[in-house]
Amino acid sequence: MLQNVTICSSSWPVPASIGVQAPQLRRLERSRLDRALSDASAGRSAAVRIVGAPGIGKSSLLDYAVRQARGFRVLRLRASAAERDLPYATLQMLCSAAATEVDSLAPSQRGVLARVVGEAAGPEPDRLAVGVATVALISAMTSSRPLCLVIDDAHWLDHASRQVVGFVAGRMARHSLALLLAEREQPRRADALDAVPPMLLRPLPLLDACSLLTANLPDSIDAMVAERIVAEAAGNPQVIIDSVSGLAPAEFAGGFGAATSAHARRCKDTHDCLARARRLSDEGSRLLIAAAAEPTGDPSLLWRAADRLAVPPEATREVEESALVTFGTSILFACGGLRPTLYAAADPAERRRVHQALADASYADPLIRTWHRSAATTGLDEKLAADLERWAPAAQARAGIGARAAFLERAARFTEDPALRAQRALLAATAMHEAGDADTAHRLLTIAELGPADPARAAHVMWRRAKLADASRPGADSSRALLAAAECLRPVSGASAREAQLDALLAALFAGQDRFRADQAGAITIGRTMLAEHESAPAHPVDQLLYGLATRAVHGYSAAAPLLAAAIDTLCHGELDLRAAARLDLAGAVAADLWDVDAWTVLARRRSALGGSPSETGRCSYQALAALQLGEFDAAQAILTRQAAGLPAGGDVPVQYPALLLAGWTGEHDRLDRLLVQVDRESDTGCTAAALSEAVLNNGLGRYGAALGAARRAAASGQLALSGWALLELVEAAVRSGDPDAAVEAVDAAGRLNRHCAAASTEWARAAAALAQALVSEPAEAEAGYLDAIGFLTRCGLRPQLARTRLLYGEWLRRRNRRVDARAQLRECAAEFAALGARAFAERADRELLATGESARKRTVGTDRQLTPQERRIAYLARDGMSNPEIGGRLYLSARTVEYHLHKVYAKLNISSRTEIHLALAPERDGPGPEHPAQFQPTG
């Protein structure tokens, strides 16, 4: 059972990792696509036809292939159902995208294509002539560089285009073409695309499905709800994602709130099931609604509720025979979208009746009973309100902060006493804000303001409104509002007043000190006020953060670093109360500013375990930045995607600043340009992140002048973490720009960075200082700095920074004419950049390898001739993604013997790891020979 494999408690939290890890699914399928690209790059065409059910992951695999097609010309087409009856509709898209190559064809071939796509009059050419002309067109497109031709939704290809694609697939063996198709499973029949080898996608295995669900959760989730979602999805990735995507934590409520009308609108392919459900008897429909209203899928609870609803056995048999629900160890619906759709379509009175029966039957679980009672009740009910408030902390422990917010919001709804209602509304607003639902928080604050006059409550409402305003539009106005709230809070709560002061200081820091000073206030003024209230660092870790940040604003980085490090250590290893838990995003920012990757990792894990959305200081999403710095680019993108799904629909969507840096690292110039247009120029964080991203991108591309200007802007901002990272970009750009004045600036920046890093005193800081010093040092001293930086970063696990240091060291070695030593460093970093998807840096490493006299990523037929037959067999199996034990099982060898042979393979092929084998091996032959076993062709 699922619970025996993945769940060991009553809750299933967001994974304890750097935010949300993007699961590495379909490893064997991705390996096959990698081989196709590798073969095409070597001049031998390859074709793969991905076949599977809707939502099974076909387009995701095509997305992966497009990302991996570095050095290819990528042309992606999508067939349309509306054009299925239009002959050559897809061929027209191909010709339109390759207009230059069409013009270069022979007149007869150009005329054939012009007639079939409607650009010239004349009779329709013979299909063979069309195929020959298309082959000539593809040949022209692959003359300068390999072509990756991707056709999605190929089941909608018109018949004529389908024949042409099949013709091309059979006649491009000696061209650099990777032809990748994706289509739905269809009844087996002879088809023009039979020449394209199929790759059938099966449903995800259980553990992969669990990983995918966990990666897409907006918050923690009740374990039984998670089990039910995974089981109902039946291994379909899209169903898993649709079950939770687009839901804010407060709306999701740990799985309890999943059956909502808003969610029902997002579900697809349920019309047939819904039509069958409407044909059921009243008793059968009531049982079905009860199953939909019970989020955990607990059969014993459902049967007890059915007794209370007087559902006869005949109705149970009727529902079973409808094949809409499976009654087993868990209640499973036939399709993922049916449960919320049925619940949303049910009559409200019927829903309340069902929830009351479920509440009466939930005698063993007071949390579930209270939730169902709240769904069954109308009007005011003080006892219910008190129970909801009492069980809210337990709901958070079990299903995340969104569940707590939902419980508190319902408690306020059922409260009769005006003063108590206002107080509960304030508590609910705070929880909703922490869960990321700003609109509901505003509404609840209005309810709190309507209660009887209370100075303490009014001060807290004022504080919360200022925090909401700062989250949506940071700047000097929100800082002043937060300071005013702190003054109002001082007489009623010293702890809350200090929290409001911290919020004001953060607002000033993130808004930009210079602009804030122009309004006669600023971080320094706030910091002095805070320091005047404390003779020494206080005991609580949040107060320690406050004291340290105030010291940073007034006395500088070096004075504040020890104070902040002590606070971070407490937050990493001590018990967390609610106040400390709410500041983990800020703590992550401070840890990043201190160059402390270990603390940053721990804090990101603790923050993830709490669920919910980032707080105001999380506007720069230090969880995503942590994943980015560790080289987990897919995980960083998953975090950003999850956070974007929780943003309100409509209006301007604020850019997520880590997305800028991700685009810079991956070398996506066009994407970065699009994101830069959306940056909030009123926010200093936005300006700093934008400038730093431009510096990273341009350093990767070797455009050092542009990188220098951007790095200057980022380094001057004083932003937590970002400005320190920018100093290293500034040193590299200034040294490489060739400008004498910039060289002086590089030495100054290296000195500033060294002072920062000396105060931080972590391995990452030492690595940054050593690298900066190496860049500005004389040759006799530089090498020791590069080697020190590599050693520090190897222990830190910061893959992108380590690869960049190897790149800089390799470039330095080549300029010293030490080509053999340079190649070793450049091979390492080139392979790492390729694995990370850092395209610009990978191409820069390739250029440096070429300059050493080595062909970067050399792929030639016959490279593997130096291997023995046994070594060749092992090398090909390792290339196909098999582990040492798997290879040993295939060849009847021990894993130790396989490892021995692999080390000999690495030495003979002049590579350093199994990830590079595919770069050195010859392409697959037309058929298996005595020295090359039949390749493992995955089908699932």
Side-chain angles (χ1 to χ4, degrees):
M1 292 178 61
L2 177 60
Q3 62 195 52
N4 295 329
V5 185
T6 60
I7 300 194
C8 57
S9 68
S10 61
S11 64
W12 193 356
V14 174
S17 59
I18 297 299
V20 177
Q21 294 291 341
Q24 295 297 315
L25 308 178
R26 308 287 191 193
R27 179 176 60 87
L28 293 176
E29 289 84 347
R30 288 186 286 112
S31 176
R32 184 169 176 185
L33 295 178
D34 287 339
R35 293 202 307 273
L37 294 172
S38 178
D39 290 346
S41 182
R44 180 175 180 271
S45 74
V48 178
R49 179 163 51 98
I50 306 171
V51 181
I56 204 69
K58 303 183 295 297
S59 296
S60 295
L61 282 174
L62 292 183
D63 293 339
Y64 168 81
V66 168
R67 290 195 302 270
Q68 296 300 108
R70 187 168 55 84
F72 280 72
R73 176 181 180 180
V74 178
L75 181 57
R76 187 165 187 172
L77 310 177
R78 183 182 294 275
S80 168
E83 298 178 350
R84 191 175 189 181
D85 296 328
L86 299 178
Y88 299 112
T90 304
L91 181 58
Q92 188 276 330
M93 289 190 285
L94 174 64
C95 293
S96 177
T100 302
E101 287 79 5
V102 170
D103 291 340
S104 70
L105 297 178
S108 60
Q109 294 171 336
R110 190 166 64 247
V112 166
L113 293 177
R115 291 202 302 277
V116 299
V117 300
E119 294 183 358
E124 180 180 338
D126 178 77
R127 292 285 169 91
L128 178 62
V130 177
V132 171
T134 306
V135 169
L137 174 61
I138 298 294
S139 178
M141 295 175 71
T142 59
S143 60
S144 58
R145 56 175 170 159
L147 171 65
C148 179
L149 178 57
V150 177
I151 303 178
D152 207 347
D153 289 338
H155 49 278
W156 295 126
L157 280 172
D158 62 273
H159 182 68
S161 294
R162 197 172 182 90
Q163 285 188 314
V164 170
V165 171
F167 186 88
V168 169
R171 287 164 176 79
M172 297 296 295
R174 297 186 180 277
H175 292 76
S176 298
L177 170 67
L179 176 62
L180 307 178
L181 311 173
E183 66 175 1
R184 294 179 185 172
E185 287 182 277
Q186 300 182 75
R188 186 70 190 127
R189 62 180 184 276
D191 186 78
L193 294 184
D194 284 347
V196 182
M199 181 171 70
L200 182 61
L201 293 192
R202 303 291 187 186
L204 290 178
L206 176 63
L207 293 179
D208 284 352
C210 295
S211 298
L212 183 63
L213 173 63
T214 305
N216 285 276
L217 288 174
D219 196 357
S220 300
I221 187 173
D222 178 83
M224 292 183 67
V225 176
E227 291 182 4
R228 188 262 302 164
I229 290 174
V230 170
E232 284 183 345
N236 188 297
Q238 193 60 53
V239 174
I240 295 173
I241 293 170
D242 285 347
S243 65
V244 295
S245 65
L247 294 171
E251 183 182 9
F252 185 65
F256 297 121
T260 65
S261 58
H263 186 206
R265 288 195 296 271
R266 298 185 181 97
C267 299
K268 303 174 182 178
D269 303 325
T270 59
H271 297 295
D272 177 62
C273 291
L274 190 58
R276 278 185 283 152
R278 286 170 177 161
R279 292 195 290 267
L280 296 175
S281 65
D282 291 343
E283 292 80 5
S285 296
R286 188 170 299 126
L287 180 62
L288 207 56
I289 294 169
E294 207 301 287
T296 66
D298 181 357
S300 61
L301 176 56
L302 180 64
W303 298 134
R304 292 196 299 270
D307 287 342
R308 287 163 172 79
L309 292 168
V311 174
E314 296 79 17
T316 302
R317 287 194 295 271
E318 179 188 21
V319 172
E320 283 184 313
E321 291 169 359
S322 71
L324 295 171
V325 178
T326 300
F327 297 115
T329 56
S330 183
I331 308 298
L332 303 180
F333 278 76
C335 54
L338 182 57
R339 179 187 295 268
T341 302
L342 283 171
Y343 184 86
D347 178 72
E350 187 68 16
R351 283 204 301 260
R352 289 193 296 272
R353 180 181 177 186
V354 162
H355 277 295
Q356 186 59 59
L358 288 166
D360 294 339
S362 302
Y363 50 78
D365 191 332
L367 194 67
I368 295 291
R369 182 175 67 249
T370 303
W371 180 260
H372 283 303
R373 282 174 57 209
S374 69
T377 303
T378 58
L380 303 175
D381 188 327
E382 178 54 40
K383 185 178 184 306
L384 175 58
D387 286 345
L388 285 163
E389 183 178 17
R390 178 161 59 95
W391 288 109
Q396 178 170 350
R398 175 166 171 170
I401 195 170
R404 174 171 170 262
F407 269 66
L408 289 174
E409 190 270 340
R410 291 193 177 189
R413 184 195 311 172
F414 293 117
T415 302
E416 182 174 3
D417 179 76
L420 186 55
R421 176 184 173 87
Q423 186 60 34
R424 285 173 174 163
L426 175 60
L427 290 174
T430 302
M432 284 292 177
H433 184 199
E434 292 171 357
D437 191 341
D439 291 340
T440 303
H442 275 296
R443 178 175 58 80
L444 288 165
L445 286 175
T446 300
I447 295 173
E449 288 174 322
L450 294 176
D454 182 335
R457 187 176 67 247
H460 279 89
V461 168
M462 181 181 181
W463 177 29
R464 185 57 53 181
R465 284 212 185 275
K467 286 169 70 70
L468 285 165
D470 180 50
S472 62
R473 192 67 174 176
D477 290 339
S478 59
S479 298
R480 286 194 294 273
L482 287 164
L483 278 176
E487 289 302 313
C488 293
L489 285 165
R490 194 183 303 278
V492 297
S493 173
S496 296
R498 289 192 296 274
E499 290 284 333
Q501 283 181 322
L502 178 54
D503 291 331
L505 176 60
L506 294 174
L509 289 172
F510 280 104
Q513 294 181 15
D514 292 338
R515 182 156 40 81
F516 198 66
R517 284 200 203 98
D519 292 304
Q520 307 303 313
I524 292 179
T525 302
I526 300 171
R528 285 174 177 161
T529 301
M530 294 176 178
L531 293 178
E533 297 177 1
H534 301 278
E535 294 182 0
S536 61
H540 195 280
V542 174
D543 291 330
Q544 290 175 355
L545 279 181
L546 171 63
Y547 189 82
L549 288 171
T551 302
R552 186 183 188 275
V554 176
H555 300 298
Y557 185 95
S558 297
L563 302 171
L564 292 170
I568 292 303
D569 184 67
T570 303
L571 288 167
C572 282
H573 306 294
E575 292 293 327
L576 296 179
D577 58 17
L578 288 177
R579 187 180 174 212
R583 295 296 184 178
L584 287 181
D585 282 313
L586 170 61
V590 172
D593 194 52
L594 294 173
W595 305 79
D596 192 340
V597 66
D598 292 334
W600 195 3
T601 302
V602 171
L603 290 166
R605 286 173 177 166
R606 300 193 88 174
R607 177 64 182 85
S608 295
L610 295 175
S613 65
S615 64
E616 298 83 352
T617 59
R619 63 170 65 92
C620 203
S621 186
Y622 285 88
Q623 287 177 288
L625 285 180
L628 182 61
Q629 288 288 7
L630 289 172
E632 298 168 357
F633 289 3
D634 288 343
Q637 185 58 59
I639 297 168
L640 297 174
T641 301
R642 182 171 67 96
Q643 291 175 353
L647 294 173
D652 296 330
V653 176
V655 66
Q656 297 166 290
Y657 299 135
L660 296 166
L661 277 173
L662 186 59
W665 269 102
T666 55
E668 297 173 271
H669 196 288
D670 292 341
R671 183 186 177 201
L672 182 58
D673 285 345
R674 291 193 302 271
L675 291 172
L676 290 174
V677 174
Q678 306 172 42
V679 169
D680 180 6
R681 299 294 175 178
E682 295 297 313
S683 164
D684 201 48
T685 307
C687 293
T688 303
L692 178 58
S693 303
E694 292 181 273
V696 171
L697 176 71
N698 286 300
N699 271 333
L701 294 170
R703 302 172 183 169
Y704 299 113
L708 180 58
R712 281 172 180 154
R713 297 194 303 274
S717 70
Q719 285 291 295
L720 293 177
L722 302 182
S723 61
W725 300 344
L727 282 173
L728 196 53
E729 301 294 337
L730 175 60
V731 173
E732 179 180 342
V735 166
R736 291 297 177 83
S737 67
D739 184 343
D741 292 336
V744 174
E745 185 179 7
V747 174
D748 177 68
R752 290 163 56 198
L753 183 59
N754 186 60
R755 290 190 293 275
H756 272 224
C757 294
S761 191
T762 64
E763 288 197 325
W764 184 10
R766 294 187 187 102
L771 178 57
Q773 195 59 41
L775 285 167
V776 300
S777 295
E778 296 297 325
E781 303 172 354
E783 186 164 18
Y786 285 120
L787 293 174
D788 285 345
I790 288 172
F792 290 134
L793 289 170
T794 300
R795 290 191 290 274
C796 288
L798 299 172
R799 294 171 58 197
Q801 298 298 342
L802 176 58
R804 282 190 67 175
T805 303
R806 290 191 184 279
L807 173 59
L808 290 166
Y809 182 36
E811 291 171 336
W812 183 88
L813 289 168
R814 186 185 67 77
R815 285 163 176 74
R816 307 276 86 75
N817 207 30
R818 293 167 56 182
R819 297 190 174 189
V820 174
D821 293 337
R823 286 172 192 155
Q825 298 297 328
L826 294 171
R827 285 192 204 108
E828 284 279 347
C829 70
E832 186 69 284
F833 285 136
L836 292 171
R839 299 171 190 170
F841 285 106
E843 290 174 4
R844 178 173 151 188
D846 283 349
R847 291 194 298 269
E848 286 294 322
L849 271 173
L850 288 170
T852 67
E854 176 176 315
S855 297
R857 282 163 173 72
K858 187 175 182 181
R859 304 175 181 90
T860 58
V861 177
T863 305
D864 61 340
R865 297 300 184 200
Q866 56 192 306
L867 304 179
T868 67
Q870 182 79 304
E871 290 168 351
R872 188 175 297 113
R873 283 191 290 269
I874 291 172
Y876 273 95
L877 292 172
R879 184 200 68 175
D880 291 344
M882 297 182 71
S883 66
N884 289 355
E886 290 170 336
I887 296 172
R890 176 72 68 89
L891 301 180
Y892 304 101
L893 302 171
S894 71
R896 188 185 296 272
T897 301
V898 172
E899 181 68 20
Y900 168 76
H901 284 296
L902 277 177
H903 279 294
K904 294 176 68 176
V905 168
Y906 300 157
K908 290 183 178 182
L909 298 183
N910 197 25
I911 60 178
S912 59
S913 69
R914 67 194 301 136
T915 60
E916 300 174 73
I917 292 178
H918 71 284
L919 304 176
L921 289 181
E924 293 181 82
R925 300 178 181 139
D926 293 334
E931 297 179 359
H932 182 183
Q935 298 300 304
F936 175 60
Q937 297 295 327
T939 59

